[in-house]
Amino acid sequence: MILIFASAGLMALTVLGTAQDAFAQVPLVLPNLQLGFSQPGSTGEVATGLQILALMTVLTMAPSIIVMMTSFSRIVIVLAFMRQALGTQQSPPNQVLIGMAMFLTLFAMAPVGTRINDEALQPYFAERIDFVTAAQRAANPIRNFMLKQTREKDLALFLSLSGGERPATANDVPLTTLIPSFLISELKTAFQIGFMLFIPFLIVDMVVASVLLSLGMMMLPPILISLPFKLMLFVMVDGWALIVSSLMRSFA
């Protein structure tokens, strides 16, 4: 046994020494990385630099765009209300709710993303349109989605607050007015859905509290008894499927 281990050790040392000799014969070449500014040779280089700057700006604002200009806000608020109505505190955890809201947002915004890809990205990559035209075409599907989900009352509120002229058509509404109007509409819709979610669980809490009070168990917290019943009710009616289907249909 000792001879076996000794032989294995000698073989490992031999292989290691051979590998070191091989690496010693190959020169180590590091990539050449340069950072700096230089005088542009043409207007095309200036335009390319500005496009890169605009792209980096959009990527920096991507989290805000996802939260404020898509269906993410309504979905994550409704899921948070659902957890609060169940009374499970931190179950599901925040990471699960946010991840679920993100993937549901991707599902709900898939038609918008397809239109942006077909009308803006692919023609721009094929060099059939310029960057400005691609940006305008990419904004139109998002604008139409927000207009469809925005209440006229909220849009009129921000139009009056802006003090500008009334737009002739819906497509003339500036994004600086449309985005806050869309956010207020999404919050109102999410709170309405949350109110409807609270009603059945509130009834369960009231029934359990009344039963405990009639039995004289005033020192027993009703939440300890009502939580299993609420979970059983939620599972029996397939609550997650109902919530997700209702949310997705609300964007139709």
Side-chain angles (χ1 to χ4, degrees):
M1 184 65 68
I2 296 175
L3 293 176
I4 293 175
F5 281 111
S7 301
L10 290 175
M11 291 177 62
L13 292 175
T14 303
V15 172
L16 181 60
T18 305
Q20 289 179 348
D21 294 339
F23 281 115
Q25 295 175 1
V26 178
L28 181 62
V29 180
L30 296 177
N32 186 14
L33 181 62
Q34 295 181 355
L35 295 175
F37 298 93
S38 60
Q39 188 71 21
S42 62
T43 57
E45 294 182 1
V46 177
T48 302
L50 293 177
Q51 292 177 8
I52 295 175
L53 180 61
L55 180 60
M56 295 300 296
T57 304
V58 171
L59 292 177
T60 304
M61 299 176 61
S64 299
I65 294 174
I66 293 175
V67 173
M68 302 300 177
M69 300 175 63
T70 64
S71 58
F72 181 83
S73 300
R74 183 190 304 184
I75 295 174
V76 74
I77 291 174
V78 170
L79 293 179
F81 274 132
M82 186 71 256
R83 183 178 63 180
Q84 189 175 359
L86 283 172
T88 54
Q89 296 180 355
Q90 294 299 322
S91 182
N94 292 331
Q95 292 84 351
V96 175
L97 290 184
I98 294 175
M100 186 176 180
M102 182 63 68
F103 281 101
L104 289 177
T105 301
L106 293 177
F107 180 82
M109 300 297 295
V112 178
T114 302
R115 285 192 56 192
I116 293 175
N117 181 66
D118 296 339
E119 299 176 6
L121 294 181
Q122 294 303 324
Y124 176 71
F125 292 151
E127 298 183 354
R128 295 196 299 266
I129 58 176
D130 56 5
F131 180 78
V132 176
T133 305
Q136 293 175 351
R137 290 187 179 183
N140 288 332
I142 300 179
R143 176 192 295 273
N144 294 334
F145 170 79
M146 289 192 294
L147 282 172
K148 188 177 180 180
Q149 304 299 326
T150 303
R151 293 179 173 85
E152 294 182 2
K153 180 180 179 181
D154 298 328
L155 187 59
L157 170 64
F158 280 94
L159 285 174
S160 62
L161 292 176
S162 63
E165 297 182 357
R166 187 177 183 87
T169 61
N171 293 328
D172 296 333
V173 177
L175 287 176
T176 54
T177 303
L178 179 58
I179 293 176
S181 305
F182 170 74
L183 286 174
I184 290 183
S185 298
E186 288 293 285
L187 290 176
K188 184 176 181 179
T189 303
F191 274 67
Q192 289 176 344
I193 298 174
F195 171 75
M196 298 301 296
L197 290 175
F198 263 93
I199 292 178
F201 300 108
L202 181 61
I203 294 175
V204 173
D205 289 332
M206 293 175 62
V207 170
V208 171
S210 300
V211 172
L212 292 178
L213 184 61
S214 63
L215 295 176
M217 299 180 180
M218 293 178 292
M219 300 301 295
L220 182 63
I223 187 63
L224 296 178
I225 308 300
S226 63
L227 180 58
F229 288 99
K230 290 191 290 187
L231 291 177
M232 181 180 64
L233 175 64
F234 189 72
V235 172
M236 288 178 61
V237 300
D238 199 4
W240 290 116
L242 289 175
I243 293 174
V244 171
S245 62
S246 300
L247 280 172
M248 294 299 103
R249 289 190 178 95
S250 67
F251 295 105

